[in-house]
Amino acid sequence: MTLYIGREASKLWKRICAEATTEINLLLDNWKYVLAGLIFQYIHGLAAHGVHYLHRPGPTLQDLGYFLLPELGQDKAYISEMVFTFVFLSFVLWTLHPFIFKSKKIYTVLIWCRVLAFLVASQILRIITFYSTQLPGPNYHCREGSKLARLPKPSNVQEILLINFPQGVVYGCGDLIFSSHMIFTLVFVLTYQKYGTRRCIKQCAWLLAIIQSLLIVASRKHYTVDIAVAWYTVNLVVFFVNKKLPELPDRSNGNSPVLLPLSTKDKDSKTKEENHKLLNGNSVDHADRP
């Protein structure tokens, strides 16, 4: 028994090392896109923090979702955050599964390049919307009488750039007309819908996205229009961005991948040939052989 466990552990370690080598080479080739996507996450947070200075509390707008869905209350607002955290962590773990499992359909670095492209495109539209029109926030801490509803004028630039993390993110106001949580949730669900393999998980993912939508409205974190805009906008963004990006390789078919950048003409023939050889050489994981 001990010998069997040791043998399987050795295989798993070799598999992780082989996959890490492949992913590191892909990261070296695509680090600019990953870094740009991560930097824009900070820019998005900075924009959401900035619009809080413009927020002016007022009466909550008339909303059909508020009429149809019972209010959860401030003490149960954490429920929607728990659902979002579960979706977020589940997706991250799925993108890392090639390091562990023998059956591999995706490359982790390439899938995250694609996901970050979806997020950036959606978040740019979101920033445009909430700076175009400021609405009175429906969340409890954004209502008249709350100390967090209005931010005092910043005393220095550093106060703006640091975003008062994490309170500045959790207790933001004014970034409406588009739900940030739904951007992430729908991007993750749509990505798994295309590149995932388990039908039951796909169905559960869509169910969780619907539940997340209802919980956000029931928690009064967003208006119903914020959820509606996210549902159709993110789907359109993913559709059109997918049209512009080269198709990701399906590892289960042993196809040679077409790497980012968006236009392969930007890469010289020597680099493409090296990537081709690299990924062909790793398309069959030697650690998986008996």
Side-chain angles (χ1 to χ4, degrees):
M1 183 67 178
T2 305
L3 181 62
Y4 174 77
I5 294 176
R7 187 191 311 160
E8 291 301 313
S10 177
K11 285 183 178 181
L12 178 60
W13 177 246
K14 290 179 180 178
R15 187 180 306 131
I16 292 174
C17 290
E19 191 67 26
T21 300
T22 302
E23 295 291 350
I24 288 173
N25 280 283
L26 287 172
L27 184 59
L28 290 174
D29 194 58
N30 298 283
W31 67 270
K32 294 179 181 179
Y33 305 100
V34 176
L35 181 61
L38 294 176
I39 290 176
F40 194 84
Q41 298 312 301
Y42 167 74
I43 295 174
H44 174 252
L46 186 64
H49 181 61
V51 79
H52 196 167
Y53 289 100
L54 303 177
H55 177 256
R56 295 294 178 267
T60 303
L61 302 180
Q62 182 176 333
D63 191 281
L64 181 62
Y66 293 179
F67 177 76
L68 296 176
L69 293 174
E71 186 172 356
L72 285 179
Q74 193 170 4
D75 58 329
K76 296 181 181 179
Y78 68 91
I79 298 177
S80 65
E81 294 296 329
M82 288 179 60
V83 174
F84 175 75
T85 302
F86 175 78
V87 172
F88 186 92
L89 293 179
S90 298
F91 182 80
V92 171
L93 290 175
W94 171 72
T95 62
L96 297 176
H97 83 271
F99 288 89
I100 305 296
F101 296 103
K102 293 181 179 180
S103 56
K104 304 169 184 178
K105 188 178 180 181
I106 63 168
Y107 291 95
T108 302
V109 170
L110 296 185
I111 203 74
W112 273 107
C113 284
R114 211 171 192 86
V115 166
L116 288 170
F118 298 151
L119 291 176
V120 168
S122 299
Q123 288 166 341
I124 288 174
L125 294 176
R126 181 173 191 259
I127 292 171
I128 293 172
T129 58
F130 64 62
Y131 270 105
S132 299
T133 303
Q134 285 85 47
L135 300 177
N139 212 332
Y140 302 102
H141 64 268
C142 298
R143 299 176 185 178
E144 193 70 60
S146 172
K147 295 181 179 180
L148 299 173
R150 296 170 181 253
L151 287 182
K153 292 183 178 180
S155 55
N156 52 61
V157 178
Q158 185 179 2
E159 184 179 334
I160 300 176
L161 296 179
L162 292 180
I163 318 180
N164 190 24
F165 187 84
Q167 285 190 342
V169 176
V170 177
Y171 295 103
C173 295
D175 52 335
L176 299 171
I177 315 180
F178 211 146
S179 170
S180 178
H181 279 34
M182 289 310 301
I183 290 177
F184 280 90
T185 299
L186 290 170
V187 164
F188 293 162
V189 172
L190 288 166
T191 302
Y192 187 82
Q193 176 69 31
K194 184 170 184 179
Y195 299 105
T197 56
R198 304 285 184 177
R199 183 179 178 184
C200 61
I201 297 180
K202 294 179 182 180
Q203 294 171 340
C204 289
W206 283 112
L207 179 60
L208 281 174
I210 296 172
I211 293 174
Q212 172 78 357
S213 302
L214 298 176
L215 286 174
I216 289 175
V217 175
S219 300
R220 305 304 189 250
K221 294 181 178 180
H222 278 278
Y223 294 109
T224 306
V225 67
D226 304 335
I227 306 302
V229 169
W231 268 92
Y232 67 74
T233 305
V234 174
N235 276 277
L236 288 173
V237 166
V238 171
F239 174 78
F240 285 110
V241 173
N242 262 326
K243 291 284 187 180
K244 296 295 183 181
L245 295 176
E247 187 56 62
L248 290 185
D250 187 347
R251 301 182 70 176
S252 59
N253 294 333
N255 291 336
S256 300
V258 180
L259 300 180
L260 292 178
L262 306 185
S263 175
T264 53
K265 294 180 181 179
D266 296 337
K267 300 296 269 183
D268 56 51
S269 58
K270 181 178 179 180
T271 304
K272 288 191 291 183
E273 183 179 353
E274 289 174 354
N275 286 327
H276 182 81
K277 291 179 179 179
L278 166 68
L279 292 168
N280 275 346
N282 288 277
S283 59
V284 177
D285 194 342
H286 296 288
D288 293 343
R289 293 179 181 176

